[in-house]
């Protein structure tokens, strides 16, 4: 497969994730050493040249955030790694943390040096005990070897990391909710603006990046931004992790550049659908994502290419459903998820997710009433337009895309 | 762990160590403090919450506000073993309904309930992030993937 790469996952399964020696022996901390010989401005320039786009779901250019925080005068500043990964169908950050934990530490240290922060946080999903254990061990080991602490790697740069465990709330993956959670409050999203780059954690300038985003940093520092930008697709360069689950022979995490097609991911990398059954639907991007059908198999799995067909890459989750699946049972779970996880801070989402889940639960029992489709569209658009955070804004995506794509409630219907 | 007629016996040195560790951090110490105390006692009793309030200087109402917000914090007694069965998309596609039914049958309780002997609490969860091992369940801190009804029986027999 031309598109398949081994950059982010280069060490996974090849080294002992608890061994600092093996990490260093396989090139680990070389990027940090190199970064410390560069000026922060040069590092941000490399990241900007690379055109690295955030992998946490919002697809925001990483250098943009870094530069904004680097320019802030307020002190202290913070760097935060978002390891709360709770989007249904997503397990690529867990794979990185369990398989190559030192890499996250190295990347976060580089980010901190580039923006002028001396303290970092990693907020790890509460249901990821092994990832937490591995990272906690890696932080201790890194401290002992002076990759964290005073005078990192013999330089003037001081940096340390504190780990936080989430406590079971999906919305805490939203960046401002995550800050609230670390600050010991109910983890509800804040109104934006102000943005994290000026008022983030403890109201200080903060860079927050996803685990996978950070995993891209060491190779960018070592090989340069131009090298990175030449990988894969114009404007959506670099490797991406895809978490494949559902009806495939080999569910798992696959790494490829974003010219990888859905067909190759499902039928080549993940081994196709077992039992000779036919493909019915694929949910791309998790519960906040959209459904695709067999006619869309040739779409490339990039930010822009999916956007063009009204879908989204989101976190890179790909859930595959064969012809035997009752999609209403799947939609019932998707809508129940949002109902359950809505934090209740704003009414469109609090009420919308409840009504939506109730209607879908009824439809899943086969009880269809006239006007259902119009009602669901109405609820969905209201949530999309009027919700405070991404949870409410995306809570109707999967449902409405399924209704559209598979004419679940008849053609046209509401609109 | 030790609970007799509402008269709780804590591992006091451990509780004290946790409070000492977090008390200098103000509110930012709250979540880790609650998590660590729960690790010791299984759930957050009114007495523990009171102690946290005093030592971290946080109003009791705020502490309960936080506990209520998070699915993994408990202000009611729970079983010593918490079984979290995933019933989200990938697990459903792989047969989580049969797995959940087997757990219910074996334990004689439904989701959200605790066995009368205080040994087990059963919960149904949205995606736990191990979809490549579907259907799966977290049993306290252990991950059990590729579950079948038979595997559930074996798992519970071994406990
Ligand atoms: C409801 C909700 C949940 C989110 N969950 C996560 C998450 O688990 N992990 C993550 O990295 N980003 C998550 N995000 C996106 C973050 O708000 C933020 O955009 C991201 O951490 C930025 O990192 P990046 O630029 O490296 O992608 C979530 C957003 C919303 C609205
Ligand atoms: S959109 Fe939903 S989750 Fe987000 S702030 Fe509003 S109620 Fe909370
Ligand atoms: S759907 Fe069960 S672990 Fe993701």
């Amino acid at each position: 497969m031309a598109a398949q790469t081994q950059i982010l996952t280069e060490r996974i399964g090849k080294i002992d994730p608890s061994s600092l020696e093996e990490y260093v022996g396989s090139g680990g901390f070389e990027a940090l050493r190199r970064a410390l010989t560069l000026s922060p401005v040069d590092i941000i320039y490399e990241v900007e040249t690379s055109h690295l786009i955030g992998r946490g779901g919002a697809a925001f250019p990483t250098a943009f955030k870094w530069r904004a925080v680097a320019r802030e005068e307020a002190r202290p500043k913070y760097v935060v790694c978002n390891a709360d990964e709770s989007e249904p169908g997503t397990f690529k950050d867990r794979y990185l943390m369990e398989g190559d934990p030192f890499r996250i530490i190295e990347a976060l240290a580089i980010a901190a040096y580039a923006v002028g922060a001396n303290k970092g946080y990693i907020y790890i999903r509460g249901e990821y005990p092994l990832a937490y254990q591995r990272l906690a061990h890696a932080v201790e080991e890194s401290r002992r070897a002076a990759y964290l602490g005073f005078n990192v790697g013999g330089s003037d740069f001081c940096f340390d990391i504190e780990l936080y465990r989430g406590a079971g709330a999906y919305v805490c993956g939203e960046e401002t909710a995550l800050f609230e959670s670390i600050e010991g409050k109910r983890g509800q999203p804040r109104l934006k603006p102000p943005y994290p780059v000026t008022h983030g954690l403890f109201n200080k300038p903060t860079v927050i990046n996803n685990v996978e985003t950070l995993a891209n940093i060491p190779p960018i520092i070592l090989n340069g931004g131009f090298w990175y930008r030449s990988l894969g697709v114009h404007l959506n360069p670099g490797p991406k992790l895809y978490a494949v689950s559902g009806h495939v022979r080999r569910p798992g995490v696959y790494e490829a550049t974003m010219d990888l097609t859905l067909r190759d991911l499902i039928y080549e990398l993940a081994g196709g659908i077992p039992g000779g059954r036919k493909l019915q639907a694929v949910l791309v991007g998790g519960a906040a994502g959209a459904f695709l059908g067999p006619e869309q198999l040739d779409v490339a799995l990039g930010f822009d290419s999916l956007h063009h067909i009204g879908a989204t890459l989101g976190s890179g989750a790909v859930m595959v459903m064969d012809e035997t699946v009752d999609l209403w049972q799947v939609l019932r779970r998707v809508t129940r998820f949002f109902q359950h996880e809505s934090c209740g801070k704003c009414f469109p989402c609090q009420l919308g997710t409840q009504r939506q889940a109730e209607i879908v639960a009824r439809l899943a029992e086969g009880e269809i009433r006239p006007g259902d489709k119009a009602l669901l569209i109405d609820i969905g658009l209201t949530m999309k337009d009027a919700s405070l955070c991404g949870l409410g804004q995306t809570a109707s995506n999967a449902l409405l895309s399924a209704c559209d794509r598979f004419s679940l409630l008849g053609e046209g219907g509401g609109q | 762990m030790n609970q007799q007629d509402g008269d709780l016996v804590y591992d006091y040195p451990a509780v004290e160590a946790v409070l000492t560790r977090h008390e200098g951090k103000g509110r930012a110490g709250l979540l880790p403090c609650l998590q660590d105390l729960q690790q010791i006692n299984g759930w957050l009793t009114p007495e523990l919450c009171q102690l946290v309030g005093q030592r971290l200087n946080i109003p009791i109402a705020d502490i309960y506000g936080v506990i209520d917000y998070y699915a993994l914090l408990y202000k009611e007694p729970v079983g010593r073993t918490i079984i979290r069965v995933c019933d989200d998309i990938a697990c459903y596609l792989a047969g989580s309904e049969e797995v959940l039914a087997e757990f219910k049958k074996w334990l004689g309780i439904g989701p959200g309930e605790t066995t009368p002997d205080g040994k087990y609490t059963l919960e149904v969860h949205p995606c736990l992030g191990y979809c490549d091992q579907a259907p799966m369940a977290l049993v306290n801190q252990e991950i059990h993937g590729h579950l079948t009804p038979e595997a559930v029986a074996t798992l519970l027999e071994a406990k």
Side-chain angles (χ1 to χ4, degrees):
Chain A
M1 191 77 27
Q4 210 177 0
T5 51
Q6 268 206 351
I7 298 168
L8 305 175
T9 54
E10 58 188 333
R11 288 191 193 83
I12 297 182
K14 298 194 184 110
I15 67 161
D16 171 3
S18 59
S19 164
L20 176 65
E21 289 68 37
E22 291 190 24
Y23 181 68
V24 171
S26 55
F29 284 120
E30 255 170 47
L32 177 60
R33 284 186 184 288
R34 175 161 162 71
L36 292 171
T37 68
L38 302 172
S39 72
V41 174
D42 289 340
I43 293 174
I44 295 173
Y45 175 77
E46 287 302 337
V47 176
E48 182 176 37
T49 307
S50 76
H51 213 293
L52 172 62
I53 297 168
R55 307 300 202 227
F60 196 78
T62 302
F64 195 92
K65 293 185 191 177
W66 287 26
R67 176 160 297 135
V69 172
R71 283 182 178 156
E72 281 296 316
E73 311 248 312
R75 295 285 186 281
K77 302 175 184 180
Y78 297 104
V79 287
V80 178
C81 171
N82 190 340
D84 194 41
E85 185 170 75
S86 314
E87 184 66 49
T90 313
F91 45 94
K92 45 125 189 148
D93 294 341
R94 175 174 62 76
Y95 186 73
L96 289 173
M97 291 187 278
E98 289 178 356
D100 196 4
F102 287 99
R103 187 188 187 98
I104 317 301
I105 292 166
E106 177 173 13
L108 199 58
I110 295 171
Y113 175 72
V115 305
N118 302 108
K119 177 98 196 246
Y121 290 86
I122 306 180
Y123 187 97
I124 306 160
R125 178 170 191 187
E127 292 90 344
Y128 281 180
L130 183 60
Y132 176 77
Q133 236 172 286
R134 296 249 160 103
L135 273 168
H137 176 77
V139 164
E140 266 174 44
E141 289 287 291
S142 303
R143 274 189 200 134
R144 279 206 313 172
Y147 290 111
L148 287 177
F150 291 109
N151 306 107
V152 171
S155 71
D156 295 338
F157 171 58
C158 303
F159 178 63
D160 207 352
I161 291 177
E162 200 171 321
L163 302 186
Y164 262 74
R165 277 169 298 161
Y170 165 68
V171 76
C172 284
E174 196 280 339
E175 49 197 20
T176 59
L178 189 151
F179 302 149
E180 293 282 304
S181 181
I182 292 181
E183 291 174 18
K185 300 177 214 152
R186 293 162 73 93
Q188 291 182 315
R190 300 174 186 163
L191 208 57
K192 289 189 270 190
Y195 293 99
V197 291
T198 58
H199 296 77
L201 184 58
F202 304 117
N203 267 326
K204 297 296 180 190
T206 304
V207 162
I208 177 161
N209 276 128
N210 170 256
V211 171
E212 183 189 347
T213 310
L214 288 170
N216 282 276
I217 297 297
I220 290 174
I221 299 301
L222 288 175
N223 306 311
F226 279 110
W227 164 81
Y228 188 89
R229 199 159 76 181
S230 71
L231 301 171
V233 189
H234 180 59
L235 294 182
N236 289 182
K240 177 77 194 85
L241 296 181
Y242 299 95
V244 187
S245 63
H247 292 142
V248 290
R249 284 207 178 79
R250 292 188 296 272
V253 174
Y254 296 95
E255 180 188 324
T257 49
M258 289 183 251
D259 45 353
L260 179 75
T261 61
L262 184 56
R263 182 187 304 281
D264 284 346
L265 179 61
I266 294 175
Y267 289 95
E268 300 290 329
L269 301 186
I273 298 169
R277 285 186 292 271
K278 284 207 210 58
L279 178 70
Q280 176 177 195
V282 190
L283 181 55
V284 177
F291 277 93
L292 299 180
E295 345 52 87
Q296 272 101 22
L297 274 174
D298 291 308
V299 69
L301 294 167
F303 295 109
D304 294 343
S305 48
L306 283 164
H307 192 71
H308 286 317
I309 61 164
T312 148
L313 181 56
S315 58
V318 175
M319 287 180 272
V320 181
M321 291 152 227
D322 72 19
E323 56 188 337
T324 65
V325 175
D326 174 2
L327 286 182
W328 282 115
Q329 291 303 326
V330 172
L331 291 169
R332 175 188 222 160
R333 284 170 171 79
V334 171
T335 52
R336 188 182 60 187
F337 174 75
F338 286 112
Q339 174 190 27
H340 187 254
E341 298 298 332
S342 169
C343 82
K345 181 163 172 163
C346 63
F347 293 126
C349 166
Q350 185 193 23
L351 301 175
T353 53
Q354 288 180 31
R355 290 298 91 75
Q356 183 178 266
E358 286 162 12
I359 296 169
V360 170
R362 170 166 60 71
L363 290 169
E365 299 297 328
E367 194 194 329
I368 303 173
R369 291 184 197 156
D372 275 341
K373 186 166 184 187
L375 193 55
L376 287 174
I377 291 173
D378 191 30
I379 294 171
L381 293 183
T382 307
M383 286 198 285
K384 193 170 286 197
D385 290 344
S387 292
L388 187 67
C389 87
L391 188 148
Q393 289 159 11
T394 58
S396 58
N397 283 0
L399 173 63
L400 295 185
S401 72
C403 289
D404 248 20
R405 198 75 78 193
F406 311 115
S407 307
L408 287 183
L409 292 169
E411 294 295 339
Q415 276 192 324
Chain B
M1 295 277 163
N2 315 301
Q3 187 191 345
Q4 289 136 4
D5 312 330
D7 208 18
L8 297 176
V9 187
Y10 302 108
D11 178 351
Y12 275 104
V15 169
E16 181 55 36
V18 167
L19 291 167
T20 312
R21 189 156 68 239
H22 297 292
E23 68 186 339
K25 300 186 203 158
R27 280 220 59 157
L30 179 57
L31 189 54
C33 184
L34 294 173
Q35 288 167 328
D36 290 351
L37 289 176
Q38 193 169 272
Q39 191 78 38
I40 297 171
N41 190 57
W43 64 286
L44 298 160
T45 66
E47 190 196 351
L48 286 175
C49 293
Q50 203 86 43
L51 277 173
V52 173
Q54 286 161 7
R55 297 287 288 276
L56 273 68
N57 213 357
I58 299 169
I60 259 309
D62 286 16
I63 294 176
Y64 279 113
V66 166
I67 296 174
D68 283 335
Y69 190 76
Y70 294 102
L72 301 183
L73 295 179
Y74 301 93
K75 66 177 192 328
E76 316 285 344
V78 282
R80 284 185 291 282
T81 301
I82 302 181
I83 300 174
R84 301 187 168 94
V85 183
C86 176
D87 181 42
D88 216 327
I89 302 171
C91 288
Y92 164 68
L93 296 176
S96 62
E97 286 183 325
E98 291 81 61
V99 167
L100 180 59
E102 189 69 13
F103 272 117
K104 284 192 205 163
K105 195 178 95 191
W106 258 86
L107 299 171
I109 52 173
E113 295 174 359
T114 300
T115 53
D117 61 3
K119 267 174 99 172
Y120 296 102
T121 295
L122 181 64
E123 294 183 350
V124 176
H125 271 254
C127 178
L128 289 164
Y130 303 83
C131 325
D132 50 341
Q133 301 160 47
M136 60 79 58
L138 265 175
V139 179
N140 282 344
Q141 306 273 304
E142 287 165 28
I143 297 134
H144 292 268
H146 305 296
L147 284 172
T148 56
E150 298 77 58
V152 169
T154 317
L155 170 76
L156 290 175
E157 269 165 12
K159 287 264 163 191

